[in-house]
Amino acid sequence: MDPANAAKFPPDEPRYLNFPHLPEGTNADGKVRLNRYSGILTQDHSFPGAQAMLYAAGVPSKEAMKNHPQVGIASVWWEGNPCNMHLLDLGKTVKDAVQKNGMIGWQFNTIGVSDAITMGGEGMRFSLQTREVIADSIETVTCAQHHDGSISIPGCDKNMPGCVMAMARHNRPSLIIYGGTIMPGYSNLLRKPVNISTCYEAHGAYIYNTLKAADDASKSADDVMDDLEQNACPGAGACGGMYTANTMATAMEALGLTLPGSSSAPATSPQKMRECVKAADAIRICMERNIRPRDLLTKASFENALVMLMALGGSTNGVLHFLAMAGTAGVELTLDDFQRVSNKVPFIADLAPSGHYFMADLYEVGGVPSVMKLLVAAGILDGSIPTVTGKTLGENIEPFPSLSQDQAIIRPLDNPIKSSGHIQILRGNIAPGGAVAKITGKEGLVFTGKARVFDKEAQLDAALGKGEIKHGENLVLIVRYEGPKGGPGMPEQLKASAALMGAKLTNVALVTDGRYSGASHGFIVGHVVPEAAVGGPIAVVQDGDIVTISADTNTISMDVPEDEIARRLKEWKQPRAPVTRGVLAKYAALVGDASHGAMTDLF
């Protein structure tokens, strides 16, 4: 939505299509009808064609047709990506449990994009818009097919917010089963646990000729890269650190949308299969009590999600996705809420990318519920919010063990890694509409350097590939025209950020109107608003301008007089749109700015 139009014409109250359904509490033969939506099609002969098709699809009897609720089971499944390749099988387990519980389960599918496969290439431009495609497709099937309830099974990072946005739109009893985290890999040549991020950071060392095997001089850098590529990802599951997938899964649990423990149970663990079975009981409870997504998506539950984001050191992408989920659910959430919570919540998790451990390690010491117990006991997390189990969050986590004092993953609240959160909301003459920084404190709190400007990520990648970014003087690398509209698609830039870490270029900060991966770390600032493509000040930063990024003052500014910035902006010419047809062109035309979640339906 054009900000100028938004100011003139404030949006109406969000309106979704209202489907006819049976009133809550409708009884038949002394039992509450749970098929409140599907019953419109199946209760009499008004829709004989629909019933004929449903019998053909597998409804076993007239009794089931008339009385059994129909539950959609949406898997974000496809082959070729470990985050998602197992979700169809999880969905089959869910369907079996649903049908044994006196309901009809309908499996269906939606799409995704592997960020790790597309990272650094043109395919990454399609990644963020899959969040909208997922939301659109689950909303479409759930509503059009008159499903009474919905169980979504996401795996990769855009999957989770897409599923939540769909739930908020159709607002029928729903829950989410996270596909689960991958187990860590192990590099025989580096002699340490590794994961997908290791590959990208090793590539930086490879480019700068510093990549070596741990204790075997006969092995070349190419041997090490081969070893990493073959062993970083040992099987099914989402990327293993506190990257975007695990960030969003943790948030979903904090929002009350999953069963307890969903966000930390590994993809291949028996616990994940047990969760799939238990989901049938939970969705029935949601339908019996009419627990709906917008009952759970409240300011209080989003506050919980923000607390978990800060405490565990989650991805900057969480900011973008929380804003979109809240916007879809009609919950007022702004960038200022992120800064407010970051100011008061300590960063306590020694988890990758900035730390040493992975989500699978956290699972072994109690998982996310045990961290929640710590935070609820300290009064930082609200244990009173309702959840899909019909119990409060506090009741859900009560059976889980408290964190033991000898574990090293979660620090005590009185001895945190950082006394406040790592997410910082910055504003200034580069980003008057806001920007999002990930600053753990390990790299300092203030950075000043000379700007070096790149009009696309590919230009920076090429410079890194040639070794043109040198050690020495401080540099602020500006990557622009990669925002939601300008990219288009706001691609993640892990390839560049990881290469800088691998090359140990600690004299460099990164700033972009695009995004960084949850696996990115270092002094990085993304989500700059307004983006370059719409004439934001980032479009007129020039090589050599002095740029200062400060987490102390929450600012990002260039040392350029206001009248000079105004002159540059007056002379700026909007570049030709890179795409004018197809899904990316449609996305670029519809998408809003990052400070409001990059939503596409704010008309």
Side-chain angles (χ1 to χ4, degrees):
M1 179 168 61
D2 186 328
N5 288 337
K8 294 176 188 174
F9 306 107
D12 294 333
E13 189 76 17
R15 294 191 303 275
Y16 298 99
L17 192 62
N18 184 28
F19 276 71
H21 54 275
L22 303 178
E24 183 180 359
T26 300
N27 279 271
D29 300 325
K31 295 181 180 179
V32 176
R33 293 280 296 273
L34 301 184
N35 57 340
R36 295 178 59 211
Y37 289 89
S38 65
I40 298 298
L41 300 179
T42 64
Q43 63 185 335
D44 55 29
H45 297 299
S46 297
F47 295 92
Q51 293 183 46
M53 296 293 277
L54 289 168
Y55 276 125
V59 174
S61 65
K62 183 177 179 180
E63 192 276 332
M65 179 70 75
K66 302 300 181 187
N67 298 308
H68 290 194
Q70 298 186 21
V71 178
I73 303 163
S75 303
V76 191
W77 167 82
W78 80 99
E79 293 182 327
N81 188 40
C83 310
N84 300 80
M85 66 185 190
H86 62 303
L87 302 185
L88 185 64
D89 291 333
L90 295 187
K92 290 177 179 178
T93 300
V94 173
K95 177 175 179 174
D96 182 63
V98 162
Q99 302 202 146
K100 286 178 178 176
N101 208 312
M103 298 173 279
I104 297 168
W106 298 120
Q107 277 190 274
F108 66 97
N109 204 64
T110 183
I111 60 95
V113 162
S114 170
D115 290 354
I117 291 173
T118 60
M119 193 69 67
E122 293 301 303
M124 173 50 75
R125 303 192 185 284
F126 291 84
S127 175
L128 181 57
Q129 59 91 34
T130 64
R131 184 187 74 184
E132 320 307 308
V133 176
I134 290 165
D136 292 350
S137 50
I138 294 177
E139 177 193 11
T140 297
V141 174
T142 302
C143 292
Q145 297 298 114
H146 286 72
H147 291 165
D148 302 296
S150 175
I151 298 174
S152 298
I153 312 175
C156 201
D157 42 353
K158 258 62 67 185
N159 301 180
M160 271 71 79
C163 290
V164 174
M165 291 162 72
M167 290 164 57
R169 291 178 188 177
H170 63 65
N171 202 35
R172 299 179 191 182
S174 304
L175 62 84
I176 290 178
I177 300 169
Y178 176 42
T181 186
I182 198 171
M183 299 300 290
Y186 188 82
S187 168
N188 293 311
L189 295 186
L190 295 179
R191 301 293 185 198
K192 66 177 185 179
V194 295
N195 70 104
I196 187 65
S197 183
T198 316
C199 298
Y200 294 104
E201 294 188 14
H203 185 249
Y206 179 83
I207 291 171
Y208 281 79
N209 298 313
T210 60
L211 184 63
K212 295 180 174 59
D215 52 14
D216 188 346
S218 70
K219 298 297 183 181
S220 68
D222 287 295
D223 292 330
V224 176
M225 291 303 299
D226 285 339
D227 176 52
L228 286 173
E229 291 159 2
Q230 293 170 27
N231 294 299
C233 300
C239 300
M242 189 45 62
Y243 310 148
T244 307
N246 285 326
T247 296
M248 296 310 302
T250 302
M252 291 187 306
E253 190 166 337
L255 288 163
L257 302 178
T258 73
L259 297 184
S262 180
S263 61
S264 43
T268 55
S269 66
Q271 173 61 29
K272 186 55 63 178
M273 298 306 291
R274 289 193 291 269
E275 179 187 348
C276 291
V277 174
K278 291 177 181 177
D281 290 331
I283 196 64
R284 176 172 279 276
I285 288 171
C286 288
M287 288 190 288
E288 288 173 346
R289 303 185 189 181
N290 200 26
I291 300 171
R292 295 167 297 175
R294 280 181 239 159
D295 299 328
L296 305 178
L297 294 167
T298 64
K299 189 63 180 277
S301 67
F302 273 103
E303 189 90 0
N304 274 359
L306 293 178
V307 167
M308 295 304 295
L309 172 71
M310 305 307 170
L312 295 182
S315 167
T316 54
N317 284 315
V319 179
L320 191 77
H321 297 321
F322 289 7
L323 290 168
M325 295 188 303
T328 304
V331 175
E332 185 177 350
L333 192 72
T334 70
L335 289 179
D336 292 336
D337 289 307
F338 289 85
Q339 190 60 59
R340 174 179 55 80
V341 175
S342 183
N343 288 343
K344 71 178 184 179
V345 175
F347 170 34
I348 57 174
D350 189 16
L351 291 168
S354 64
H356 298 90
Y357 297 97
F358 302 99
M359 183 59 85
D361 299 317
L362 182 59
Y363 172 72
E364 293 298 329
V365 300
V368 167
S370 295
V371 179
M372 288 180 169
K373 285 188 81 169
L374 172 69
L375 297 173
V376 168
I380 299 173
L381 195 73
D382 183 357
S384 70
I385 66 162
T387 75
V388 294
T389 66
K391 301 177 181 179
T392 66
L393 183 68
E395 290 170 330
N396 282 348
I397 63 178
E398 195 279 329
F400 286 81
S402 297
L403 292 166
S404 65
Q405 296 200 355
D406 61 352
Q407 59 81 33
I409 303 171
I410 303 298
R411 297 272 286 271
L413 290 168
D414 60 0
N415 183 28
I417 296 169
K418 185 172 180 277
S419 60
S420 59
H422 62 301
I423 298 290
Q424 299 293 316
I425 305 303
L426 311 181
R427 292 183 174 88
N429 62 13
I430 290 178
V436 181
K438 186 177 187 179
I439 301 173
T440 64
K442 297 179 179 180
E443 56 284 297
L445 297 176
V446 179
F447 189 98
T448 298
K450 286 185 179 178
R452 181 165 176 188
V453 178
F454 302 89
D455 281 346
K456 285 289 183 183
E457 177 194 6
Q459 294 180 7
L460 172 56
D461 290 341
L464 286 167
K466 296 174 184 176
E468 292 178 356
I469 309 301
K470 305 293 187 182
H471 296 85
E473 71 172 343
N474 281 3
L475 296 174
V476 178
L477 307 182
I478 308 282
V479 180
R480 62 194 180 193
Y481 296 105
E482 293 288 19
K485 289 182 178 293
M490 204 179 181
E492 289 182 355
Q493 297 172 34
L494 174 62
K495 185 175 181 180
S497 63
L500 292 169
M501 294 301 295
K504 295 182 170 34
L505 286 160
T506 56
N507 61 307
V508 171
L510 287 170
V511 176
T512 185
D513 53 7
R515 295 182 297 135
Y516 291 108
S517 164
S520 298
H521 59 122
F523 221 109
I524 58 175
V525 181
H527 308 201
V528 169
V529 173
E531 61 175 292
V534 300
I538 191 174
V540 297
V541 180
Q542 296 180 357
D543 285 344
D545 288 343
I546 302 301
V547 174
T548 297
I549 304 161
S550 174
D552 288 333
T553 59
N554 295 105
T555 55
I556 175 169
S557 296
M558 51 180 158
D559 188 15
V560 177
E562 288 185 18
D563 58 349
E564 172 61 13
I565 295 173
R567 184 193 66 77
R568 293 180 189 180
L569 285 170
K570 186 175 181 179
E571 294 178 356
W572 174 80
K573 303 295 183 186
Q574 187 171 36
R576 185 167 175 256
V579 178
T580 60
R581 296 295 297 272
V583 68
L584 289 179
K586 183 164 56 176
Y587 180 79
L590 292 174
V591 71
D593 67 54
S595 292
H596 296 88
M599 296 173 64
T600 58
D601 64 344
L602 292 179
F603 302 115

